[in-house]
Amino acid sequence: MEFLDPGGPMMKLVYKLQAEDYKFDFPVSYLPGPVKASIQERVLPDSPLYHNKVQFPPTGGLSLNLALNPFEYYMFFFALSLITQKPLPGALHVRTSDCAYFILVDRYLSWFLPTEGSVLPPLSSSPGGPSPSPAPRTPAMPFASYGLHHTSLLKRHISHQTSVNADPASHEIWRSETLLQVFVEMWLHHYSLEMYQKMQSPHAKLEVLHYRLSVSSALHSPAQPSLQALHAYQESFTPTEEHVLVVRLLLKHLHAFSNSLKPEQVSPSAHSHATSPLEEFKRAAIPRFVQQKLYLFLQHCFGHWPLDASFRAVLEMWLSYLQPWRYAPEKQAQSSDGQARCVSERWAPFVQENLLLYTKLFVGFLSRALRTDLVSPKNALMVFRVAKVFAQPNLAEMIQKGEQLFLEPELVIPHRQHRLFTAPTFTGSFLSSWPPAVTDTSFKVKSHVYSLEGQDCKYTPMFGPEVRTLVLRLAQLITQAKQTAKSISDQCGESTAGRPFLSWLGFYSSDTNSSYPANDLDEMGQDSVRKTDEYLEKALEYLCQMFRLNEAQLTQLTLALGTTQDENGKKQLPDCIVGEDGLILTPLGRYQIINGLRKFDIEYQGDSELQPIRSYEIASLVRLLFRLSSTINHRFAGQMAALCSRADFLGSFCRYHLMEPGLTSRHLLSPVEQGRSVGRARGPRLSLRFLGSYRTLLSLLLAFFVASLFCIGPLPCALLLVLGYFLYAMAMTLLTERGKLHQL
């Protein structure tokens, strides 16, 4: 840590080499996919970081390199180590915030993006003062421009780099600019805007579907090259949880860095030539360098991250970016009140200029939440976190105002585009001058949306009918998840309380027809049920507050989807309709079964003697007893039928032991089985299968062992057991007959 510290020996060496103007080759193959592909296609990325740095091998080889100064070279490899690190062994669980890399990133950001004062000068041993910026290099071959709808800030051509060295004020921030650009390029630029827009087209989605289904190349050979590139851009890069946590740290520092501007410097009228480069950089850092790449990065994560609790890291990164007021200097004064903070109107421009990161990503989160098991406390917590953030006072109104500005009719667009995208004359650093401020808020919102989604995008309003329908579906699932969690809790409590003492010895048979599958609530207990209920209750309250849902709407929709509890308050069937052939699952019912929210009560409806051999039975003994009982039943079938037909106590006693309980008491769910059950009446028969169970044999051995302690031999013990069973059977016969009389 001390060696790699911003003021440590490594950085001193970097600054010493910087003063001597050394150049180092950084392989282009190490760069993110979109940047590497554009350079290999002779298209220069539209970031000043790459201008005059691409070098081609003199022998005409295929390897491309970037000629970097020592500071750039060190920062590129430092950023690269995050996305190329090897995963830790499964036995090691290290918090990311305790890792040296995470702490070093925090120190670098605090050093080069200061919230107070200016960037510290480099600690160089040379008497020549600050380290110079890199000298310009003549490009080895011409490049075309790259990107869509960028402002003049990023349209810096090679001729402007020579002026960077001429402006002394640029020395104050060139390292800060380089650090931010390197981090953004290496951590967020794995998903290009052009490829993202291509993948929104139905043709591209169809190609990806064909690719995933491994359709033969003969049928789709013309589209194969572009398809391979599309697949590479879409799925080759999967960020790790550590990667996402470090990006979140970067966003938090950037918010604090940008919000450290004094109030008089924030207003557009403060833009003047007297403004320091650091102040201009604070104003430009997020919208010019981070916003677009972060949006595409989040879109990729929302679409490809697994549907499990690890998505919490992506979620918190997104929510951190959406709340710059949390990192403002006046945050402590606002949070001292007991009530929820009202989002100040000063943040309305930020909300409007980042509209898609609020609205479209919220819709993306809704689609994920509708496919997750909300009974899980971790998933319930994520829904609660998003609902709580978006329900902050005045935030929903700001988002709605931004959508209204975007949906306003367009007027005099060509004139406005000319006014916005005209490049001014630049003298000095590429951040030292700015285009004139655009006062038309509506046009600024439109420019933001069109720059990220394209001119032909179809915008879905967050407060429109389509999203409102998704919110209502989520509200229904929240209500169902609350009921399911309560039912699981009740069922676990009843099963634990109802188990006999012998269950400790393994004699208690588990219920194979349980109404609910295993869930993490079973392992974590009542505390998790309480937390899940609290999270879902508050999330539902926040959603109703945001979208103005009333209790009557929720009750009506809940009843319509069959979410009311049955008589016992549990064991609800999946949502289905009654058809000609029986029950038919609805899409909601399929969702409930897939996510384990509900299930049918499945019972064995066939011949009890022909059931598959269970794990608690001895297979060979069960087969032997089946042959023996079948022989007895075949030979004495007439005698057993005569005994069971008697009307006296002996007939009742025989019926209790030899007759199987009628199928009329069972709930036959299959319409096919209902037709066959009419002719399935079986006569009296003897069943000895219970003697093949481990539990029965262990119980008998335990009884003989206890009898031996009282000096009772095996034969007297067996007679006592038979006598005791006969007394028990006689009592059960009387109770069974009395119950039948009451039913009549």
Side-chain angles (χ1 to χ4, degrees):
M1 291 293 300
E2 294 177 359
F3 179 74
L4 297 176
D5 191 82
M10 184 66 193
M11 293 305 297
K12 290 181 181 179
L13 174 62
V14 169
Y15 294 141
K16 182 179 180 180
L17 295 174
Q18 187 79 23
E20 299 178 8
D21 196 24
Y22 279 101
K23 296 297 176 183
F24 298 86
D25 290 337
F26 183 84
V28 171
S29 59
Y30 290 172
L31 295 174
V35 182
K36 176 173 63 177
S38 64
I39 292 178
Q40 291 174 347
E41 294 172 3
R42 306 300 189 263
V43 179
L44 184 65
D46 205 9
S47 171
L49 194 61
Y50 304 106
H51 290 175
N52 301 331
K53 293 183 175 65
V54 180
Q55 284 196 331
F56 296 90
T59 58
L62 297 178
S63 60
L64 299 174
N65 296 305
L66 297 179
L68 304 176
N69 64 54
F71 184 81
E72 294 169 336
Y73 184 77
Y74 172 75
M75 284 302 168
F76 262 107
F77 269 104
F78 179 80
L80 178 68
S81 62
L82 174 65
I83 57 179
T84 58
Q85 61 179 337
K86 296 180 180 179
L88 291 173
L92 294 178
H93 298 284
V94 182
R95 293 180 56 188
T96 303
S97 58
D98 294 334
C99 295
Y101 188 88
F102 190 88
I103 301 174
L104 278 175
V105 172
D106 184 62
R107 291 187 182 180
Y108 286 155
L109 292 172
S110 301
W111 183 282
F112 294 107
L113 303 177
T115 57
E116 297 180 0
S118 59
V119 183
L120 296 177
L123 304 174
S124 176
S125 58
S126 61
S131 302
S133 296
R137 287 178 173 265
T138 304
M141 65 182 302
F143 278 86
S145 62
Y146 159 86
L148 296 174
H149 300 292
H150 287 286
T151 61
S152 57
L153 171 71
L154 296 182
K155 286 288 188 182
R156 216 55 26 233
H157 294 287
I158 298 161
S159 59
H160 292 99
Q161 186 157 343
T162 56
S163 63
V164 174
N165 297 327
D167 187 2
S170 66
H171 293 302
E172 180 182 354
I173 62 164
W174 77 265
R175 288 173 297 136
S176 301
E177 296 172 359
T178 301
L179 176 99
L180 178 59
Q181 290 183 81
V182 170
F183 283 177
V184 170
E185 287 293 314
M186 297 299 292
W187 295 344
L188 298 179
H189 200 179
H190 293 267
Y191 205 50
S192 72
L193 171 65
E194 183 181 3
M195 291 309 302
Y196 168 75
Q197 291 177 346
K198 285 181 179 179
M199 284 189 297
Q200 302 309 303
S201 65
H203 176 69
K205 292 180 179 179
L206 183 61
E207 285 189 349
V208 172
L209 179 62
H210 284 313
Y211 184 88
R212 289 177 177 174
L213 295 178
S214 300
V215 178
S216 61
S217 58
L219 296 177
H220 302 279
S221 54
Q224 196 66 21
S226 62
L227 176 59
Q228 290 177 351
L230 179 66
H231 187 266
Y233 278 123
Q234 185 185 26
E235 294 183 351
S236 61
F237 178 74
T238 303
T240 61
E241 191 171 347
E242 292 76 16
H243 182 176
V244 172
L245 292 175
V246 173
V247 172
R248 185 192 179 202
L249 177 66
L250 170 64
L251 297 178
K252 292 164 70 173
H253 269 279
L254 282 174
H255 276 318
F257 178 66
S258 300
N259 294 335
S260 62
L261 279 172
K262 297 180 177 60
E264 62 271 11
Q265 298 168 348
V266 177
S267 61
S269 60
H271 290 211
S272 63
H273 294 286
T275 306
S276 69
L278 182 62
E279 294 168 358
E280 294 287 347
F281 183 49
K282 288 181 179 181
R283 191 177 292 110
I286 292 179
R288 304 297 178 179
F289 294 107
V290 179
Q291 184 195 74
Q292 184 187 83
K293 294 183 176 64
L294 176 66
Y295 174 71
L296 300 177
F297 181 79
L298 285 170
Q299 282 275 44
H300 181 73
C301 291
F302 273 58
H304 293 81
W305 203 277
L307 289 171
D308 56 19
S310 65
F311 186 71
R312 175 80 186 278
V314 179
L315 189 79
E316 294 298 336
M317 173 184 65
W318 172 49
L319 296 180
S320 295
Y321 181 78
L322 298 186
Q323 302 177 88
W325 45 87
R326 291 182 57 192
Y327 312 100
E330 66 272 14
K331 180 194 70 167
Q332 298 299 330
Q334 291 182 355
S335 60
S336 61
D337 302 335
Q339 300 177 352
R341 293 201 316 266
C342 180
V343 181
S344 172
E345 283 294 332
R346 64 163 286 202
W347 301 108
F350 178 87
V351 174
Q352 294 165 2
E353 294 170 11
N354 292 271
L355 185 64
L356 287 178
L357 284 104
Y358 286 90
T359 59
K360 187 162 185 179
L361 292 182
F362 179 79
V363 177
F365 174 77
L366 284 180
S367 65
R368 289 184 61 93
L370 292 172
R371 292 177 287 157
T372 55
D373 180 13
L374 298 183
V375 181
S376 169
K378 295 179 180 179
N379 292 336
L381 175 60
M382 288 192 283
V383 176
F384 163 74
R385 288 282 298 123
V386 173
K388 181 180 179 182
V389 168
F390 277 85
Q392 294 178 83
N394 202 35
L395 179 58
E397 288 76 7
M398 288 183 182
I399 298 174
Q400 204 162 4
K401 175 64 175 176
E403 291 189 327
Q404 292 173 358
L405 291 172
F406 173 73
L407 297 174
E408 282 183 2
E410 300 181 3
L411 300 174
V412 203
I413 291 298
H415 171 69
R416 291 178 179 175
Q417 285 183 343
H418 175 76
R419 178 179 59 183
L420 178 68
F421 296 115
T422 299
T425 302
F426 277 79
T427 57
S429 172
F430 64 88
L431 285 173
S432 61
S433 293
W434 289 90
V438 180
T439 57
D440 192 334
T441 310
S442 174
F443 181 66
K444 291 172 69 174
V445 176
K446 295 178 189 293
S447 300
H448 156 71
V449 175
Y450 291 146
S451 65
L452 294 183
E453 291 290 330
Q455 294 286 343
D456 55 347
C457 72
K458 181 183 179 182
Y459 181 76
T460 303
M462 178 175 166
F463 294 94
E466 297 179 15
V467 179
R468 187 180 180 85
T469 302
L470 294 178
V471 172
L472 288 174
R473 285 181 56 195
L474 180 61
Q476 296 154 11
L477 292 180
I478 288 175
T479 305
Q480 296 168 10
K482 289 176 59 181
Q483 295 175 357
T484 304
K486 184 178 182 303
S487 300
I488 294 175
S489 175
D490 294 343
Q491 187 182 32
C492 293
E494 291 176 4
S495 60
T496 303
R499 290 180 182 176
F501 176 76
L502 289 179
S503 64
W504 288 50
L505 302 176
F507 300 142
Y508 179 72
S509 61
S510 60
D511 184 11
T512 58
N513 292 323
S514 176
S515 297
Y516 298 101
N519 190 281
D520 55 358
L521 294 176
D522 300 337
E523 301 176 359
M524 292 183 283
Q526 298 295 324
D527 290 340
S528 295
V529 178
R530 191 188 72 254
K531 289 181 181 178
T532 301
D533 190 68
E534 290 176 358
Y535 292 148
L536 295 178
E537 183 69 31
K538 295 298 293 184
L540 190 59
E541 178 184 336
Y542 289 138
L543 289 174
C544 293
Q545 177 183 335
M546 286 171 52
F547 292 90
R548 297 177 177 85
L549 305 177
N550 54 46
E551 200 68 29
Q553 286 178 302
L554 291 179
T555 305
Q556 180 181 1
L557 290 166
T558 300
L559 292 173
L561 288 173
T563 58
T564 53
Q565 296 179 332
D566 60 4
E567 297 176 359
N568 299 323
K570 57 193 173 212
K571 294 187 179 180
Q572 309 165 55
L573 295 179
D575 190 62
C576 51
I577 58 176
V578 180
E580 296 179 357
D581 296 328
L583 301 178
I584 301 175
L585 280 175
T586 64
L588 176 63
R590 295 189 187 96
Y591 167 83
Q592 292 168 341
I593 292 178
I594 291 172
N595 290 276
L597 300 178
R598 298 185 187 180
K599 63 180 292 187
F600 288 104
D601 279 331
I602 306 299
E603 298 179 0
Y604 183 76
Q605 304 283 343
D607 189 350
S608 58
E609 288 293 296
L610 300 178
Q611 291 187 61
I613 297 176
R614 307 300 175 90
S615 59
Y616 53 82
E617 293 177 326
I618 304 174
S620 57
L621 186 56
V622 168
R623 295 188 181 98
L624 180 62
L625 292 171
F626 175 74
R627 294 192 189 98
L628 178 60
S629 59
S630 299
T631 303
I632 295 174
N633 293 331
H634 180 70
R635 180 169 297 182
F636 301 102
Q639 290 85 337
M640 288 189 292
L643 288 173
C644 291
S645 62
R646 293 169 64 110
D648 53 5
F649 178 79
L650 180 60
S652 300
F653 188 82
C654 292
R655 284 193 297 271
Y656 177 77
H657 287 89
L658 301 178
M659 295 291 292
E660 188 177 0
L663 296 176
T664 56
S665 61
R666 299 182 182 179
H667 301 284
L668 295 177
L669 301 179
S670 173
V672 179
E673 293 297 320
Q674 285 180 349
R676 297 177 181 175
S677 62
V678 179
R680 192 185 287 174
R682 303 184 183 95
R685 58 181 179 171
L686 178 67
S687 176
L688 301 176
R689 181 166 178 165
F690 70 97
L691 294 175
S693 170
Y694 287 110
R695 295 184 179 92
T696 303
L697 296 178
L698 287 175
S699 301
L700 292 175
L701 289 176
L702 182 62
F704 283 115
F705 174 74
V706 173
S708 66
L709 297 178
F710 294 95
C711 299
I712 301 175
L715 185 59
C717 179
L719 293 175
L720 288 175
L721 289 176
V722 172
L723 179 61
Y725 177 76
F726 267 101
L727 293 176
Y728 168 78
M730 291 172 62
M732 292 301 298
T733 300
L734 293 175
L735 292 176
T736 303
E737 291 297 321
R738 183 175 299 178
K740 290 181 179 178
L741 291 175
H742 281 296
Q743 290 178 2
L744 294 175

